[in-house]
Amino acid sequence: MNLELSEEQNAVRQLARDFVDREIAPHVVEWDRAESVDRGIVKKLGEVGFLGLTIDEEYGGSGGDHLAYCLVTEELGRGDSSVRGIVSVSLGLVAKTIASWGNEEQKRKWLPGLTSGEYVGCFGLTEPGTGSDAGNLAPKAVRDGDSYVIDGAKMFITNGTWADVVLLFARTGPEPGHRGVSAFLVPTDTPGLTRRTVHGKLGLRGQATAELVLEGVRVPASAMLGPEGKGFSVAMSALAKGRMSVAAGCVGIAQAALDAAVTYAGQREQFGKPIAQHQLVQELISDIAVDVDAARLLTWRVADLIDRGQPFTTESSKAKLFASEAAVRAANNALQVFGGYGYIDEYPVGKLLRDARVMTLYEGTSQIQKLVIGRALTGISAF
Ligand code: FAD
């Protein structure tokens, strides 16, 4: 793998750095306290092309490869994980999945709006009673003439209250487990679909997380994404790439923790010298730095594999597992460098730790990633 970035990749990374410093960094504390990022950020993300990365220009996308997508995601994660998540879901889990599985009509209907930021997408897999065991999801979609009628509930849906469309997974067949699952593109203004904000999150407070309730939601049969009964494959293919995006966001968190810790350690004095001169503080900083590099290299490897058309699912799980745990460690180490000041939100590291924590939970917990990796290594499923 060539670790030297191309001119284009360097340019997109710089664009993302400038965007974060201009449009995100000044508002991070305010958005976190208000429990909402400014919704106007979605349009701005669309205008600069970040919601269309890797999508064909024909459908409103801005092209670019998966490494460029990682670079942007990393920068957004450095700035604010709540904003990073909007992109990872609306582009990463929804638009990219429509681009891979959608027919021409579905691509023309949804992709230009999603890539421009006119629409927001959300991904409805988890339910109140079914998380890790997603293949056993409960909602039913019953065929009625040219329509499906969907009943059920979804929980913890990122972008949920903002979204215009939900990529929803429901059961269409009598087959047990994942075999009876199909995917649907459901406009959120469809009668019978209600949304409730999930309040009180430890982190990602700026993000619109929702519970969705579906009661007699009728969609045309043409809303099905991919073949009937293949919904679980649609979901898993979305998550395989999505995990790379989460990993890249985690690299951004860890990088932000490193930057903050180095700067603070150079300024803060104790025992008559900058705390950076104390060896145990240097240990904290060097541990963060190693986590940043290792997480970044694992993440870039996934992008490289995707861009070369190679299998990447296990590598994506490895990157997500390591990067999410590394981001928690890095933010926690940075908080230690800040001492008591790390514990108040005028300083950035407490939020980094709160935001990092969920990365080991969503898009498959760390335990689930280990089962994916273990299955690939042994050939035995331990789910
Ligand atoms: P459970 O599955 O109940 O797991 C509880 C514990 O049991 C975990 O430690 C888990 O690792 C462990 N466990 C479960 N099964 C096994 C096993 N076989 N072996 C070992 N350990 C096991 N979901 C979406 O669909 N779309 C979204 O946009 C989305 N966004 C989210 C945003 C936030 C802020 C949060 C908190 C969650 C989000 N989720 C979303 C849901 C997330 O993906 C789930 O929370 C996650 O998959 C875990 O499911 P669960 O919470 O039901 O935990």
Side-chain angles (χ1 to χ4, degrees):
M1 178 183 176
N2 180 8
L3 291 176
E4 201 151 320
L5 298 180
S6 69
E7 216 172 288
E8 243 176 46
Q9 289 161 342
N10 269 317
V12 80
R13 182 191 232 181
Q14 192 57 48
L15 188 68
R17 280 189 178 152
D18 294 343
F19 183 87
V20 166
D21 293 344
R22 189 180 64 246
E23 303 289 352
I24 297 177
H27 309 291
V28 170
V29 175
E30 165 202 335
W31 289 345
D32 188 55
R33 288 180 181 167
E35 286 200 18
S36 181
V37 307
D38 179 353
R39 204 182 193 293
I41 197 73
V42 178
K43 268 264 170 217
K44 290 178 183 172
L45 288 162
E47 276 161 17
V48 77
F50 295 165
L51 287 167
L53 284 162
T54 74
I55 306 279
D56 282 351
E57 286 169 24
E58 189 188 349
Y59 301 107
S62 44
D65 55 20
H66 283 80
L67 188 48
Y69 174 45
C70 277
L71 294 169
V72 170
T73 309
E74 185 182 315
E75 290 304 320
L76 294 174
R78 181 179 66 80
D80 188 346
S81 292
S82 287
V83 178
R84 193 278 304 161
I86 294 170
V87 177
S88 288
V89 173
S90 201
L91 164 62
L93 293 181
V94 181
K96 281 167 71 65
T97 309
I98 296 173
S100 298
W101 288 85
N103 57 35
E104 196 56 27
E105 190 191 333
Q106 289 167 331
K107 290 187 204 176
R108 298 244 170 252
K109 179 169 181 185
W110 293 113
L111 290 181
L114 287 168
T115 53
S116 68
E118 184 191 343
Y119 298 152
V120 172
C122 71
F123 185 82
L125 182 63
T126 303
E127 299 163 9
T130 314
S132 301
D133 189 12
N136 270 319
L137 55 82
K140 285 199 167 56
V142 177
R143 184 83 191 222
D144 180 25
D146 283 345
S147 316
Y148 282 92
V149 179
I150 311 175
D151 287 279
K154 295 287 171 181
M155 186 60 179
F156 295 132
I157 305 306
T158 302
N159 294 344
T161 45
W162 284 10
D164 300 281
V165 59
V166 48
L167 172 49
L168 186 99
F169 300 90
R171 196 162 286 288
T172 47
E175 300 88 348
H178 61 82
R179 283 188 298 279
V181 174
S182 298
F184 295 90
L185 292 165
V186 182
T188 51
D189 59 3
T190 311
L193 175 53
T194 50
R195 302 181 270 179
R196 186 183 65 83
T197 302
V198 176
H199 287 292
K201 296 196 300 279
L202 177 67
L204 298 186
R205 289 189 187 157
Q207 223 170 59
T209 310
E211 179 178 6
L212 314 181
V213 176
L214 299 99
E215 290 168 315
V217 170
R218 184 178 287 273
V219 291
S222 61
M224 187 179 281
L225 183 71
E228 181 168 356
K230 286 282 172 208
F232 195 68
S233 302
V234 174
M236 291 305 112
S237 74
L239 289 175
K241 284 187 184 164
R243 286 167 183 161
M244 177 196 70
S245 183
V246 173
C250 290
V251 175
I253 293 176
Q255 181 68 57
L258 179 62
D259 295 345
V262 169
T263 304
Y264 188 79
Q267 292 165 348
R268 175 75 172 172
E269 293 197 0
Q270 290 295 295
F271 298 93
K273 55 187 177 185
I275 58 170
Q277 274 186 32
H278 297 299
Q279 291 182 351
L280 295 180
V281 173
Q282 288 204 4
E283 182 191 41
L284 289 168
I285 290 172
S286 62
D287 283 351
I288 302 173
V290 174
D291 268 336
V292 171
D293 279 359
R296 182 174 285 133
L297 289 170
L298 282 172
T299 306
W300 284 15
R301 179 175 66 166
V302 183
D304 182 60
L305 288 170
I306 297 176
D307 287 333
R308 287 190 293 109
Q310 299 296 312
F312 62 91
T313 304
T314 314
E315 283 68 25
S316 195
S317 280
K318 287 181 190 169
K320 196 269 186 184
L321 169 64
F322 183 84
S324 61
E325 301 279 345
V328 174
R329 265 195 313 271
N332 200 36
N333 281 334
L335 199 151
Q336 199 67 18
V337 171
F338 273 72
Y341 294 95
Y343 205 65
I344 56 176
D345 74 357
E346 275 168 49
Y347 293 83
V349 287
K351 176 176 181 296
L352 292 176
L353 181 58
R354 288 189 284 107
D355 286 350
R357 194 59 188 81
V358 77
M359 311 295 167
T360 71
L361 301 174
Y362 67 15
E363 299 207 21
T365 63
S366 289
Q367 286 73 28
I368 295 302
Q369 306 309 328
K370 288 177 186 176
L371 294 183
V372 171
I373 298 162
R375 183 180 55 192
L377 290 170
T378 63
I380 301 166
S381 171
F383 281 95

